[in-house]
Amino acid sequence: MKVILKQDLDELGFEGDVVDVARGYVRNYLVPRGIAVLATPQNIKVFELQKKKIEVRRLRAKEEAVQLKDRLEGTGLSFAQKAGEEGKLYGSVTAMDIAEGLEKKGVVVDRRKILLDKPIKTVGDYKVPVRIYPGVTAMLQLSVAPEEKAAAE
């Protein structure tokens, strides 16, 4: 079933694209959430008229994504976690922790954009990819250190 996307989706395409997807996906997900409309001749004409606005919006979003990429690559995060003697953490550092750490530094990133395969469970330095916009991915420097023990012991 052909639909016109009203917003960018990583899996399908960009706003204004005509894509062919399964009927159930259209009926149960895309249309009810306002992500797409059916590709009728009338809707196609409407989107053709809006094509320039969509292109300007897309260019502006890409420029903002490149600026955010530069900010992220200039920002380093460090976490202090309780760890055992071999450097294994008692907990873990997740994408949510990274997003909260970035937010404290004034950079707002959706945690789903942080491409962390599995939570970090060992002490060390990491490079974590952050997909900001399709085609724009930043590499975030991340340092996980053992938490210092209290001096009162």
Side-chain angles (χ1 to χ4, degrees):
M1 178 175 246
K2 292 198 181 283
V3 294
I4 304 170
L5 296 176
K6 292 173 73 177
Q7 63 188 26
D8 297 343
L9 276 179
D10 290 337
E11 319 83 52
L12 290 178
F14 297 107
E15 179 181 7
D17 289 350
V18 177
V19 294
D20 194 17
V21 293
R23 287 184 183 279
Y25 190 46
V26 172
R27 186 177 48 245
N28 296 324
Y29 183 76
L30 296 176
V31 173
R33 289 194 164 100
I35 297 171
V37 293
L38 296 177
T40 62
Q42 183 180 9
N43 286 339
I44 291 173
K45 285 180 186 176
V46 169
F47 271 94
E48 288 295 325
L49 294 174
Q50 294 178 351
K51 208 165 197 107
K52 281 196 178 189
K53 290 180 186 176
I54 292 170
E55 286 298 321
V56 169
R57 233 179 304 158
R58 191 178 294 164
L59 284 173
R60 190 175 304 130
K62 183 148 184 154
E63 289 173 5
E64 289 173 4
V66 169
Q67 290 174 355
L68 181 60
K69 175 185 175 185
D70 294 338
R71 281 182 61 197
L72 280 175
E73 289 182 345
T75 303
L77 276 181
S78 60
F79 291 95
Q81 298 276 337
K82 290 185 180 181
E85 290 184 27
E86 299 95 32
K88 291 191 177 199
L89 300 178
Y90 290 124
S92 62
V93 177
T94 62
M96 188 178 292
D97 297 329
I98 296 170
E100 288 172 2
L102 286 171
E103 198 170 314
K104 288 178 185 173
K105 290 197 172 201
V107 181
V108 178
V109 175
D110 185 14
R111 67 179 172 81
R112 293 174 292 220
K113 300 286 184 179
I114 299 171
L115 304 176
L116 195 60
D117 293 334
K118 50 188 170 188
I120 297 170
K121 297 187 178 206
T122 57
V123 172
D125 294 326
Y126 299 91
K127 286 191 174 195
V128 178
V130 180
R131 183 184 301 130
I132 303 164
Y133 189 77
V136 180
T137 303
M139 295 304 284
L140 178 66
Q141 293 285 354
L142 189 66
S143 175
V144 180
E147 193 174 75
E148 296 297 322
K149 296 194 176 178
E153 289 182 24

